[in-house]
């Protein structure tokens, strides 16, 4: 049985025009092109912007998977990258090079990759094309998981708001088919 999963990053919000940790609140700004291809099932992360993005993409009966939530940044939540760089420059430097640390007191990037990887591995995907609407960092983590790459690779994958990651699976392993 072949499964295809199109991962679509949340649409941009006014808060996400500046790089920040989390901050997926507020309405989606700009156009969100509807998906024209046939979709067998829809899932999304729990953030409200995921609901709006999925709706604007044309999602029907969208299931919320809490395991596909954005990373827990705890102390850095909703701070901009610039603010963290000013307040905790050394902690930010370490976080950017070591995916196993969590200087913000939340989830490490390695833990994020494992969590979202387990979520897609264990979900009962139907045959055909499914869509997952998630935060851009979660989309990156899913690409890393599909590649079976070490967590350090996460910052070598770029997924912008509304960016797409196409995965497929036949058997036990996901494959990365493309990035847009």
């Amino acid at each position: 049985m072949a499964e295809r999963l199109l991962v679509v990053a949340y649409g941009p919000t006014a808060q996400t025009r500046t790089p920040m940790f989390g901050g997926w609140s507020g309405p989606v700004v700009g156009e969100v092109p509807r998906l024209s291809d046939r979709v067998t099932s829809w899932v999304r992360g729990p953030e409200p912007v995921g609901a709006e993005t999925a709706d604007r993409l044309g999602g029907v009966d969208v299931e919320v998977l809490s395991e596909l939530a954005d990373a827990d940044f705890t102390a850095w939540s909703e701070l901009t990258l610039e603010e963290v760089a000013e307040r905790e420059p050394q902690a930010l430097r370490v976080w950017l090079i070591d995916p196993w640390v969590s200087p913000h007191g939340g989830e490490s990037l390695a833990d994020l990759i494992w969590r979202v990887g387990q979520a897609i591995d264990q979900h009962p995907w139907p045959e055909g094309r499914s869509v997952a609407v998630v935060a851009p960092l979660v989309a990156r983590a899913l690409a890393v998981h599909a590649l079976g790459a070490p967590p350090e690779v996460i910052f070598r994958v770029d997924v912008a708001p509304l960016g797409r990651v196409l995965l497929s699976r036949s058997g036990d392993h996901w494959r990365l088919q493309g990035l847009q």
Side-chain angles (χ1 to χ4, degrees):
M1 173 167 78
E3 299 155 346
R4 290 177 298 141
L5 180 60
L6 175 63
V7 179
V8 181
Y10 294 157
T13 68
Q15 291 84 359
T16 60
R17 291 180 189 243
T18 301
M20 66 187 315
F21 294 89
W24 293 105
S25 59
V28 173
V29 295
E31 288 189 41
V32 176
R34 293 181 74 79
L35 293 178
S36 58
D37 295 340
R38 186 178 179 157
V39 176
T40 307
S41 71
W42 289 82
V43 300
R44 68 173 178 86
E47 293 84 7
V49 71
E52 182 182 355
T53 302
D55 182 58
R56 290 176 66 180
L57 287 166
V60 178
D61 297 324
V62 182
E63 179 183 357
V64 176
L65 291 182
S66 60
E67 299 85 2
L68 293 179
D70 197 5
D72 173 10
F73 294 114
T74 308
W76 293 356
S77 289
E78 299 196 24
L79 294 177
T80 67
L81 187 61
E82 186 177 299
E83 289 170 328
V84 173
E86 288 173 10
R87 295 176 190 183
E88 302 180 54
Q90 183 57 30
L92 180 60
R93 266 192 292 285
V94 170
W95 182 79
L96 288 169
I97 60 171
D98 186 348
W100 300 96
V101 302
S102 57
H104 43 68
E107 181 176 40
S108 73
L109 292 171
D111 289 339
L112 171 69
I113 295 166
W114 184 86
R115 172 175 51 85
V116 300
Q118 291 299 301
I120 67 165
D121 286 352
Q122 296 172 5
H123 188 74
W125 301 105
E127 188 167 344
R129 183 179 188 206
S130 296
V131 174
V133 181
V134 298
L137 185 60
V138 172
R140 288 176 170 199
L142 290 170
V144 172
H145 174 72
L147 289 169
E152 291 80 3
V153 172
I154 197 163
F155 288 124
R156 294 181 183 212
V157 176
D158 264 342
V159 179
L162 294 177
R164 299 174 182 199
V165 177
L166 182 58
L167 307 177
S168 65
R169 176 171 74 172
S170 181
D172 293 336
H173 300 286
W174 290 98
R175 291 181 305 278
L176 176 63
Q177 287 193 318
L179 293 169
Q180 294 180 342

